[in-house]
Amino acid sequence: DIGYGGQLSRANRWLTSQALRRAGRVTVGSATLTRLAAGYVNDERLITLPLGVDTALFTPETLRVCRKPEGSRRRLLHVASLSPVKDQATLLQTLALAAEELPQLHLRFVGDGPLRAALAAQVKTLGLVAQVSFDGDVAHDRLPALYRAADLFVLSSRYESQSLAALEAAACGCPVVGTAVGLLPELLGPQQLAP
């Protein structure tokens, strides 16, 4: 319904099936992708091998202290391209609901994309100008400091093959919540996942 994915056209579906059927080995990064590929590839050719993150770069500096003084700002971080598959519009609607009871929430978007103007307009419509900031694209080596400064990493994607941003956040010691896509159902408990 958002026009995303290689399986939308008959030609792409045929190309994918041919590539998977003819491959000597197929690696996938999550249980979800394993299930999708299993229709094309028998078990001995299918290898589940998630991508990792550079743990020399993405690492906590010190132990995190989760308690915050009453009334202090709660820093939420979302790192992704601003595109329909990342579903930031739903994230903003959720923030608006949460901010009614927790006005100290602040959501920082890191990344850019075709939806930036629409999301900025939605922020104004929802009355969230004080609670949302857009950083645009940030150099990869600057991300660890952003993850470490956040109280919570939030993922709102409708699809992920893995979600490297969530893995990077976790490697930096930042708690992660998000939609049940990519590796998140394999890494997080049900209380940290949204359908």
Side-chain angles (χ1 to χ4, degrees):
D1 67 322
I2 59 171
Y4 179 82
Q7 299 297 300
L8 292 176
S9 76
R10 188 169 25 174
N12 277 341
R13 288 191 300 273
W14 182 82
L15 287 171
T16 300
S17 70
Q18 292 303 306
L20 290 173
R21 285 192 170 99
R22 294 174 186 212
R25 295 256 189 253
V26 175
T27 60
V28 294
S30 66
T32 298
L33 292 180
T34 300
R35 284 190 301 276
L36 290 173
Y40 302 96
V41 180
N42 60 26
D43 288 343
E44 68 252 9
R45 292 188 304 132
L46 187 60
I47 302 166
T48 301
L49 185 63
L51 297 174
V53 298
D54 179 355
T55 55
L57 179 62
F58 295 98
T59 185
E61 287 182 329
T62 60
L63 291 175
R64 294 181 66 88
V65 177
C66 293
R67 283 211 167 157
K68 293 266 186 191
E70 191 68 31
S72 65
R73 181 164 250 183
R74 305 293 178 157
R75 298 161 303 195
L76 308 178
L77 179 65
H78 178 82
V79 177
S81 62
L82 304 180
S83 63
V85 73
K86 303 300 183 177
D87 202 8
Q88 291 95 355
T90 299
L91 179 55
L92 287 173
Q93 292 169 348
T94 304
L95 178 65
L97 293 172
E100 291 175 9
E101 296 203 26
L102 300 166
Q104 70 272 27
L105 291 176
H106 182 269
L107 174 60
R108 184 177 194 173
F109 284 107
V110 174
D112 215 339
L115 293 184
R116 183 168 181 161
L119 293 169
Q122 184 182 4
V123 165
K124 288 179 183 174
T125 300
L126 293 171
L128 295 173
V129 174
Q131 281 103 355
V132 176
S133 59
F134 292 90
D135 286 12
D137 287 329
V138 170
H140 197 245
D141 64 345
R142 288 189 47 227
L143 289 176
L146 298 175
Y147 292 129
R148 291 180 198 122
D151 296 308
L152 186 65
F153 177 84
V154 292
L155 179 81
S156 56
S157 298
R158 294 183 55 188
Y159 175 84
E160 291 281 345
S161 60
Q162 288 192 44
S163 185
L164 286 177
L167 295 177
E168 291 169 351
C172 288
C174 183
V176 174
V177 296
T179 48
V181 296
L183 276 175
L184 290 191
E186 298 169 56
L187 301 175
L188 303 177
Q191 71 280 8
Q192 296 164 279
L193 296 170

